[in-house]
Structures are given as C-alpha cells and as structure tokens.
Amino acid sequence: MRYTKKIICLANSRKTSGRCIAGKEVISDRYGDWIRPISGRPNGEISESESRFQDGEYPQILDIVTIPLIEYKPSHYQRENHLIDDECYWQKVGTLAFSELPNLVDNVTGDLWINGCSSSNGENDRMPENLANNLTSSLLLIRPTTAVLYVTEQNGKRQIRCIFTLNYRQYNLVVTDLEIEQMYRNKPVGEHKIHTSRVTMCISIGEPFQGYCYKLVAAIIYN
C-alpha cells in the first residue's frame, strides 16, 4: 500500500553509486522517528533522479520533504528503512529553522552504539556485524563536545575524517557528507578545526563490509 512520510532532511551523503538520505519524521506539531528512504538496489542507495523535486532541485539539509513510499522495509540494525515509490516526485514543503535543530538532537548518554573496535585508521569506528545486527537503530543526531576534520591521503586518494568526543569517548570516523567532501577535498592534508559550539552531526551505520559495520559521519550541520 502506497503512503507518504514527511521528514526533515538531516543527511544527504555519499553511498556507493548514489546517496543515503535520512531524516526525522514530522508529525503534526512534533518530531517523530528516523526515516531512511531506500531504493530496491542491493545496498538501497538513492539516485539523484529518484530524489529530485518536480522543479529539478534536490533535497538539502533541513529541507522538509514529503516522500512517496511503498513499504516499510527494515534490515537488521537499519530499522528506519522505507522503500521509495520511484515513479513519483519528492516534494519540498518547507525548511526547518536553525533554532529548532536542538530539539531534534538525540539523547545519547553513553557510547555511540557499541565501542571498543577500531579500524587501522579510525577509533571506535566499527562494530562486528553479528553484534551490530542486535541493534535497533542506525541513525543518531548528536552535538559533539570537541571536533576536528582531518584530511588524509593514501596512494593518491583523499579521505575526510572527523575526530570528535562525545560523553568523554573519542571517535575517528569517515565523513560521507557530500558538501563537506567537496569543501575539504582540496584543502591541505592535516587537521582543520570545527567550532563545536555551532555544529550538529548525523551519525549513521553503513552497510556491512567484510564482517564489520562502520559508523559514518553522514552530515555536519553548521548553525
């Protein structure tokens, strides 16, 4: 049965050959649960054409968007997934005021899901797939205590990472935010400071890869 969800766009990030878009549902005068629209592709990424509005524009962070959907389609820890109706346009119906953003931040009192497992370049950036499959969420909106962006280069390939602290825990995660990647791709290798007093970040758990599920910085929102 076809239906629609109205969400505040809180992530529009790189995912394989497309995008991962996610946000919190708008229900009358309150904010609801996370919604991640997915396609029918194996990894669920959304193409540009599938997320386009009728006027040719695309969702931006804090846009309020109505999305046509076909069915609720959770997958292990990604309980937020809904399959899109790819025959219909998405519709922008408004924009969230920056002053409202703190009301959307999730109450995280401890670890970001599961800590204690790190890749060679990261810190607390991944979880064994078998443990991650027991989780009931894969999206969080946080306000870090401290944060820096770090540009790395290996074998001629650049990567943007974010090193931040939350609840006295430190993290070093890959950034998949498309705008941040474009802004920092040509900056010097090394550390770039962030003013944490005005930054909010969307953290997402990506698709399983070689037995692990990685935590990703899907959006960095300045306000």
Side-chain angles (χ1 to χ4, degrees):
M1 182 178 70
R2 285 173 165 77
Y3 58 101
T4 62
K5 291 284 189 181
K6 183 165 65 174
I7 71 167
I8 300 162
C9 181
L10 297 171
N12 187 346
S13 64
R14 170 177 50 81
K15 183 177 183 180
T16 58
S17 59
R19 301 183 180 194
C20 176
I21 295 174
K24 288 196 174 184
E25 187 173 7
V26 180
I27 306 172
S28 186
D29 58 349
R30 64 183 180 88
Y31 308 118
D33 295 333
W34 281 97
I35 301 288
R36 179 191 285 110
I38 62 168
S39 71
R41 299 179 184 85
N43 290 322
E45 68 271 19
I46 300 290
S47 70
E48 285 193 358
S49 62
E50 288 167 338
S51 63
R52 187 170 55 204
F53 303 141
Q54 195 163 3
D55 64 3
E57 295 297 316
Y58 300 95
Q60 304 296 317
I61 298 297
L62 300 187
D63 280 353
I64 302 173
V65 182
T66 299
I67 304 175
L69 303 163
I70 293 176
E71 64 174 315
Y72 176 49
K73 202 168 184 178
S75 176
H76 297 295
Y77 51 88
Q78 291 190 345
R79 309 298 297 175
E80 307 90 349
N81 293 359
H82 292 252
L83 182 65
I84 63 167
D85 182 346
D86 59 10
E87 296 182 354
C88 299
Y89 285 111
W90 297 14
Q91 183 180 6
K92 178 179 175 178
V93 295
T95 303
L96 185 78
F98 278 116
S99 59
E100 275 293 295
L101 193 57
N103 296 323
L104 294 169
V105 172
D106 291 300
N107 182 27
V108 181
T109 57
D111 297 344
L112 287 177
W113 298 291
I114 300 169
N115 282 357
C117 188
S118 304
S119 69
S120 58
N121 295 318
E123 184 174 0
N124 289 318
D125 64 331
R126 67 181 186 179
M127 303 164 283
E129 184 179 352
N130 64 315
L131 296 182
N133 284 337
N134 295 322
L135 299 173
T136 57
S137 72
S138 65
L139 290 160
L140 289 169
L141 195 69
I142 66 166
R143 295 293 298 269
T145 308
T146 65
V148 296
L149 288 174
Y150 208 91
V151 179
T152 67
E153 186 170 333
Q154 188 172 11
N155 299 322
K157 185 176 181 180
R158 290 204 162 200
Q159 186 179 74
I160 315 300
R161 304 189 69 92
C162 186
I163 302 171
F164 64 92
T165 57
L166 181 72
N167 300 325
Y168 304 102
R169 284 83 161 170
Q170 182 161 296
Y171 300 86
N172 181 346
L173 311 185
V174 170
V175 176
T176 57
D177 181 314
L178 288 166
E179 288 194 7
I180 295 296
E181 283 189 326
Q182 291 172 359
M183 287 172 57
Y184 284 84
R185 185 177 294 118
N186 296 319
K187 288 186 180 291
V189 170
E191 182 180 297
H192 301 269
K193 292 184 178 180
I194 298 177
H195 297 291
T196 50
S197 61
R198 60 183 183 90
V199 70
T200 306
M201 300 195 306
C202 175
I203 311 298
S204 174
I205 306 176
E207 300 293 325
F209 178 71
Q210 297 182 350
Y212 291 97
C213 300
Y214 285 79
K215 305 170 191 177
L216 308 167
V217 180
I220 297 177
I221 307 169
Y222 295 96
N223 61 301

